[in-house]
């Protein structure tokens, strides 16, 4: 299989550098580093703590809710929520603290886990109207296989639905406000143009979420337009006519995923997993899909950034662990192969172990990976002596 041009596709810097405050490197697409070697997510975390007037933001949130609240019984806000801690926090706050009438919506996981479904049921029982969007299972499988092969990300079809289904529900139910949790681009490193804004632009969806490939891309691989329909956004004119606005609660409220976990444990019946997720040390994030381990694993292959790197980086920024602790966790867990659902994943995609390993190797860029007699070795890691201080 031909090697992919990872640097060109994701516009990555050739020289790998690590943030001197957290564990992330400059290989995360769209992240920025300042002259002191601090990443944009760490700078944003500091800015959030020191500069933002949260009382003023609270008034802005009240005003936003007043602008959209309906009193005729109809829904007035769409909250995308898998039943996890973040969407659960958003929905519960909006409904029970701000008197909104949310319609919560979930795009079905490709292959749901038991714990994910259990948490979604508990969330609905805790007091929410809910719609589940489930695409044709045969098409979802076909798209997952194609996306794994061509984009190196089995999650691509899920991300289409996750991004576009709330828009479809907003248009269909004539609800103009969609409220997400955090803006991943500013919180975790990415395009900072929205750092000072509560909203996101629908025009950015292709670049920020779809790696530049919208659902229509797959037509040339034999998927019909009608099969792709549930994965697509509504027509742009209907989004505009509906006066649709996408907001992030993380702009209005200090966003702390661990606090959301405690909140949902108390209010929406959320439970964490009994064991840590493979590839990291955490038990309460991204639990819904048997496939997600392969999304994170391929991210590790492409960017050298695994699930533990991201989890540790968030927790360092939130002041929960030190950088040294984070580095140790990355060393221990990052890049661990997700074995638990491997056969399920292969069966779901209809590929063999050899085919998957070939796909994996096609995404190993020479600037990150080196072949040694003992197997593949990362040329750079945050725990290698030369990077311990975050130097390049
Ligand atoms: Zn950082």
């Amino acid at each position: 299989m031909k090697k992919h041009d990872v640097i060109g596709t994701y516009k990555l810097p050739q020289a790998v550098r690590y943030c001197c405050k957290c564990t992330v490197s400059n290989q995360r697409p769209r992240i920025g580093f300042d002259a002191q070697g601090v990443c944009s997510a760490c700078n944003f975390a500091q800015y959030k703590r020191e500069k933002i007037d949260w009382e003023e933001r609270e008034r802005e949130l009240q005003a936003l809710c007043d602008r959209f609240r309906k009193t005729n019984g109809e829904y007035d806000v769409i909250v995308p929520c898998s039943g996890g801690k973040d969407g659960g926090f958003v929905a519960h706050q909006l409904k029970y603290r701000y008197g909104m009438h949310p319609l919560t919506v979930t795009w079905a996981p490709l292959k749901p886990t038991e714990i994910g479904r259990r948490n979604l049921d508990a969330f609905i029982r805790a007091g929410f109207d809910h719609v589940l969007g489930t695409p044709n299972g045969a098409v979802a499988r076909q798209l997952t296989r194609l996306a794994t092969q061509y984009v190196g990300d089995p999650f691509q079809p899920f991300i289409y639905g996750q991004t576009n289904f709330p828009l479809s529900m907003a248009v269909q139910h004539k609800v103009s406000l969609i409220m997400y949790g955090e803006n991943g681009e500013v919180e975790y490193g990415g395009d900072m143009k929205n750092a000072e804004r509560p909203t996101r632009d629908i025009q950015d969806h292709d670049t920020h979420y779809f790696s530049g490939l919208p659902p229509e891309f797959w037509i040339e691989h034999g998927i019909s337009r009608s099969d792709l329909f549930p994965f697509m956004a509504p027509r742009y004119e209907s989004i505009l006519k509906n006066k649709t606005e996408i907001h992030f609660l993380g702009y209005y409220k200090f966003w702390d995923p661990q606090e959301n976990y405690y909140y949902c444990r108390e209010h929406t019946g959320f439970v964490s997993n009994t064991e840590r997720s493979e590839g990291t040390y955490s038990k309460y994030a991204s639990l819904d899909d048997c496939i997600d381990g392969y999304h994170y694993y391929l991210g590790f292959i492409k960017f050298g950034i695994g699930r533990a790197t991201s989890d540790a980086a968030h927790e360092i920024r939130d002041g929960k662990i030190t950088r040294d602790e984070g580095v140790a966790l990355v060393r221990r867990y990052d890049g661990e192969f997700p074995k638990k659902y491997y056969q399920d994943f292969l069966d779901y995609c209809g590929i063999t172990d050899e085919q998957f390993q070939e796909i994996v190797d096609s995404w190993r860029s020479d600037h990150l990976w080196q072949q040694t007699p003992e197997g593949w070795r990362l040329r750079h890691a945050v725990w290698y002596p030369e990077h311990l201080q975050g130097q390049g």
Side-chain angles (χ1 to χ4, degrees), residues 19-24 31 33 37-43 313 317:
C19 174
C20 54
K21 285 193 169 177
C22 71
T23 49
V24 86
I31 202 167
F33 273 62
V38 180
C39 78
S40 51
C42 282
N43 278 326
R317 289 173 204 136

Side-chain angles (χ1 to χ4, degrees), residues 18-21 323 382 384-391:
Y18 286 85
C19 174
C20 54
K21 285 193 169 177
R323 187 175 188 274
V382 70
Y384 290 0
E386 66 271 30
H387 289 303
L388 270 180
Q389 303 307 316
Q391 302 302 318

Side-chain angles (χ1 to χ4, degrees), residues 42-54:
C42 282
N43 278 326
F44 183 73
Q46 191 178 359
Y47 170 79
K48 238 171 65 166
R49 268 170 218 286
E50 293 172 3
K51 297 279 189 323
I52 293 179
D53 177 350
W54 292 104

Side-chain angles (χ1 to χ4, degrees), residues 110-111 113 144 147-148 151-156 278-279 286 289-302 305-307 335-349 351 353 356-357 359-360 363:
L110 296 167
K111 198 167 168 43
T113 59
T144 303
T148 304
V151 195
D153 187 359
F155 244 28
Q156 184 88 335
E278 291 170 297
S286 195
D289 204 321
C290 301
I291 308 292
D292 72 2
Y294 306 93
H295 161 75
Y296 290 107
Y297 184 72
L298 275 155
F300 171 72
I301 299 297
K302 285 179 190 172
I305 295 174
R307 199 165 175 173
E336 176 189 29
F337 188 79
K339 291 189 290 290
K340 192 172 169 191
Y341 298 114
Y342 189 43
Q343 196 55 50
D344 295 297
F345 168 68
L346 294 175
D347 293 345
Y348 185 85
C349 293
I351 57 174
D353 172 40
F356 181 66
Q357 296 304 337
I359 292 169
V360 167
W363 288 98

Side-chain angles (χ1 to χ4, degrees), residues 112-133:
T113 59
E114 257 174 57
I115 177 106
R117 185 65 224 194
R118 186 224 159 271
N119 278 328
L120 180 59
D121 288 339
F123 168 77
I124 296 167
R125 275 201 305 276
F128 296 95
D129 293 340
H130 176 260
V131 178
L132 182 68

